[in-house]
Structure formats: C-alpha cells, structure tokens
Amino acid sequence: MSEIKTIGVLTSGGDAPGMNAAIRAVARTAAYHGITCLGIRRGYNGLINGDVVELNARSVNGIISKGGTMLFTARCPEFMTPEGIKKGADTCKYLGIDGIVTIGGDGTFRGARDLAASGVHTIGVPATIDNDISSTEYSIGFDTACNTALDAIDKLRDTMQSHERCSVVEVMGHNAGHLALHVAIACGAQAVLVPEKPFDFQRDVVEKIRAGRINKRSHFIIIQAEGVGNSVDITNRIIEETGIDTRLTILGHIQRGGSPTARDRVMASRFGEYAVHTLMAGKTNRVVCARDNDICDIDINEALEMKKDLPENMYMTSKIMSI
Ligand code: ATP
C-alpha cells in the first residue's frame, strides 16, 4: 500500500440513488485508514474552483438512506478542455489531493482519464440509473430506479384495469433499454420497445393488443424506453389502430430520486470501499466494475472502449411472459 494522505470524492453527470451511500463509503474507508477525505462539490466544477468540504466519518452520518447527492452534481463543459483539466490538477496540487474517486457515468470517467493523464491518481465508480456503462454489470441507482418505476406502474395498472384501457409508459434509460426491459418483465408488460431491438409496430404492438382483446385481456401495459422516440406518436398510433382508450405516462425524473434500495446501498458501500483501497494500492486511471458477483477494477481506456448489449435471454423472457 502506498502512502496516501488525502483523497477527494466527487459526483458528476446525472444523479442516481445511492450516490450518497458511495460518498459515505469513501469517507468512512478513508477515515478507517487515517486518510483525509475532501468532498468536491458540483462535479468537476468544484475541482476547478476549489469548492471542497472536509468529510470525516461523522459528517456522512444519516446519508445512506437519502437519494440525490450531498455533494451536488453538475455537468462541467470547461473540464472538457485542456485548460479546465490543468485547473483541476492545479487544485489537487494546491490542496494536497493524492487521488480522486469520481462517481458517475462514462462522461465522468472520461474526465477521470484526462485528470489521470495530468498526474492525479483517479478511480471511477459507476453510478447511473441507465445501467448502460459497458465495463460493469451493475451501476449504482439502477435497482432503485427499477423499483420506483414498478411502484408507479403497479398503481397505473389498477386504474387501467378498472377502465379497460391501454397504458404506454415511457421510462428513462438515455439511449439504452436496460431499465425498460427490467421494468417490463417485472410489471408484466404486454410489449417493450427498446432502442437496441428493431421492432415491427404492427406485429409487436398492434397485433398483440388485438389478440389480447380476443383472449379477454382487460388492459394493456406497453413499456417504451425514452431512447426509442416520440411516445406521444406511439400512443396515438395505438389509439388509431386498435380503437382502445390509451393513456401515456412519462415517468421522467421521479426515477432518479428516492431512498436507495438495499441493493444500491450495499453495492455503493462495496464500490466506495473498493475504490479507496485501489487508490491506496497505488493504482490510477481505473474504474470499479461488478462482474460475476464480485468486484474488480480495470483500465479506464479499456472500459470506455467496451460495448454493452441488452441481454438476449432477458429480451426472450419478456417476449415469452407477454403472450
Ligand atoms: P450520465 O450520462 O449518467 O448522466 P455521465 O458521467 O456520463 O453520467 P456526462 O454529462 O457525460 O455524464 O459527463 C459528466 C461530466 O464529465 C461532464 O460535464 C464533464 O465535466 C466531464 N466529461 C465528460 N466528457 C469528458 C471528456 N471527454 N473529457 C473531460 N471531461 C469530460
């Protein structure tokens, strides 16, 4: 283990439930080893401006159950320039920061890679409700977002059933369909539309609703990933082609909030602890990954080049379950 005296931790990009639990894990692991931990506020903006707050074991009391991030998060276009990176590295030098844990998505990891190139040790912790980070099987926030969506859809189902309606539910996920696919299986949707899988609207949506009606199905739930396109158009097409009263619900940012589930709290605690130990081992330019029920770290460049597919077997599950 190398002699690290001070580390920084920041959250960047879109927020995700469990970011606070990860901050807590970093601060507590640092405290356990007698390392000073500085919380850097508002993502890379705080690094550029020297906007930091000292975090000890007690200053992260009570945050494990809170959504959002106590350090705030932000996009920071200036950090995408060589001048911005230099300012960030200068701040680290000035504050004596030996290494930084950056909690966020792929964009956040690109920032960490650039900072590592200028001599500051960095490690990324994956956090995004989209679960679209290729290098890891799991990202903090995904489970909570799935459960938040599910809770809302279960309520929608009650009223759809009473009125014998169809519900189109747009879930988040950016350009990926992981959230939509998980939610569709968990809520028992009749169809799921995801950007990774081309679909035939007539066959996969309209005919399924028609067949369902013939088979005495009273109501329908169609899950649409935001990356698929315009959910208003999709809703109107269902009305035109089937004549069924169809309502659109866009779940939006409620999926990003709320108290993290046990899974997110545990994963965040393990990722945060692992990240500090990786910095203590003298490593840099790494990201923490969940793989095969274990945690490992890989090179950021390698992580950024990886591709992540939607699991084919899960897509099949959703199809078979929706007959
Ligand atoms: P999510 O997509 O889940 O919201 P993210 O971490 O991918 O999370 P981005 O907005 O892509 O979110 O990136 C967050 C921040 O990381 C940017 O605002 C910027 O400060 C920094 N960043 C992104 N790309 C780069 C880059 N190429 N070089 C340096 N910094 C970058």
Side-chain angles (χ1 to χ4, degrees):
M1 298 263 167
S2 70
E3 259 308 300
I4 280 205
K5 291 196 175 61
T6 303
I7 60 167
V9 56
L10 61 81
T11 49
S12 158
D15 66 344
M19 278 183 160
N20 273 326
I23 294 166
R24 172 182 177 272
V26 170
R28 291 260 166 103
T29 309
Y32 181 84
H33 292 289
I35 295 169
T36 299
C37 181
L38 299 178
I40 298 155
R41 307 204 305 170
R42 300 180 178 85
Y44 290 113
N45 294 293
L47 202 56
I48 287 176
N49 304 324
D51 183 6
V52 300
V53 54
E54 188 164 339
L55 300 177
N56 59 38
R58 297 286 70 80
S59 51
V60 290
N61 277 358
I63 64 168
I64 194 167
S65 59
K66 301 260 191 296
T69 157
M70 68 171 285
L71 293 176
F72 306 102
T73 183
R75 320 269 173 195
C76 176
E78 191 182 353
F79 207 69
M80 295 162 88
T81 66
E83 297 75 28
I85 300 286
K86 183 171 181 318
K87 281 188 197 169
D90 286 348
T91 302
C92 291
K93 202 178 280 178
Y94 178 72
L95 294 172
I97 295 174
D98 303 304
I100 294 199
V101 180
T102 64
I103 303 166
D106 279 338
T108 300
F109 297 166
R110 284 192 191 91
R113 173 201 59 196
D114 294 352
L115 196 59
S118 65
V120 180
H121 283 204
T122 60
I123 177 143
V125 167
T128 163
I129 66 162
D130 306 335
N131 205 23
D132 60 348
I133 301 173
S134 306
S135 51
T136 183
E137 287 165 10
Y138 191 76
S139 299
I140 297 166
F142 181 67
D143 188 58
T144 307
C146 282
N147 281 292
T148 300
L150 200 54
D151 191 43
I153 294 164
D154 284 347
K155 292 187 171 85
L156 269 176
R157 180 184 283 283
D158 291 345
T159 171
M160 290 301 127
Q161 188 168 35
S162 307
H163 289 270
E164 300 176 278
R165 282 179 180 143
C166 174
S167 214
V168 173
V169 183
E170 183 188 300
V171 303
M172 292 182 93
H174 199 221
N175 293 317
H178 300 281
L179 187 58
L181 182 56
H182 271 73
V183 167
I185 293 173
C187 80
Q190 277 61 64
V192 57
L193 309 178
V194 288
E196 295 89 341
K197 298 280 176 197
F199 57 88
D200 178 331
F201 192 78
Q202 203 64 27
R203 181 194 65 204
D204 299 330
V205 180
V206 175
E207 288 309 323
K208 283 195 94 165
I209 293 174
R210 285 200 184 122
R213 267 284 146 99
I214 291 165
N215 288 326
K216 307 264 182 287
R217 196 183 265 287
S218 66
H219 63 287
F220 303 87
I221 308 265
I222 312 296
I223 302 294
Q224 187 208 324
E226 68 177 332
V228 160
N230 191 323
S231 46
V232 175
D233 290 348
I234 284 173
T235 307
N236 287 337
R237 267 185 82 182
I238 293 174
I239 295 170
E240 281 161 24
E241 307 238 12
T242 67
I244 290 175
D245 188 5
T246 303
R247 305 295 168 100
L248 169 65
T249 303
I250 299 175
L251 295 180
H253 281 86
I254 64 159
Q255 294 157 101
R256 293 248 291 256
S259 179
T261 57
R263 184 175 189 200
D264 277 325
R265 296 182 200 192
V266 171
M267 289 307 285
S269 300
R270 296 185 67 204
F271 280 171
E273 178 208 344
Y274 189 99
V276 176
H277 285 153
T278 306
L279 286 176
M280 288 174 70
K283 294 190 190 179
T284 182
N285 200 41
R286 310 292 290 177
V287 283
V288 180
C289 316
R291 285 194 189 169
D292 302 326
N293 277 329
D294 206 356
I295 297 178
C296 61
D297 57 284
I298 66 166
D299 182 81
I300 293 187
N301 300 306
E302 196 188 316
L304 290 172
E305 277 167 20
M306 293 171 80
K307 294 269 172 289
K308 187 176 196 170
D309 291 329
L310 207 62
E312 189 60 41
N313 51 2
M314 282 193 65
Y315 191 65
M316 259 330 278
T317 303
S318 79
K319 276 197 171 287
I320 292 170
M321 292 303 116
S322 66
I323 56 163

